[in-house]
Amino acid sequence: MSADETASWAREELVDLAEVPVYGSEAWHLLEPSDPRRQAALVVAAERWREGQR
């Protein structure tokens, strides 16, 4: 999978979600484990790391 395909997949995963808290933040910890925004925060963090935007 190319970088463009990876970024496209990540955007598609997040498109239907409202606000996604920052991974590891207090707001993230307050979400239920089954809340898709928890996993979305992981995708956002991974994409930032992959793109060098730590």
Side-chain angles (χ1 to χ4, degrees), residues 1-13 43 47 50-51:
M1 185 178 280
S2 73
D4 288 341
E5 290 172 318
T6 302
S8 178
W9 172 86
R11 279 192 299 276
E12 287 176 25
E13 289 296 306
V43 171
E47 275 299 288
R50 187 182 66 81
E51 294 174 348

Side-chain angles (χ1 to χ4, degrees), residues 29-47:
H29 283 285
L30 292 173
L31 295 173
E32 292 293 323
S34 61
D35 191 317
R37 293 174 295 168
R38 266 181 85 97
Q39 293 167 350
L42 291 170
V43 171
V44 171
E47 275 299 288

Side-chain angles (χ1 to χ4, degrees), residues 48-54:
R48 287 187 179 146
W49 180 85
R50 187 182 66 81
E51 294 174 348
Q53 300 176 4
R54 298 179 207 151

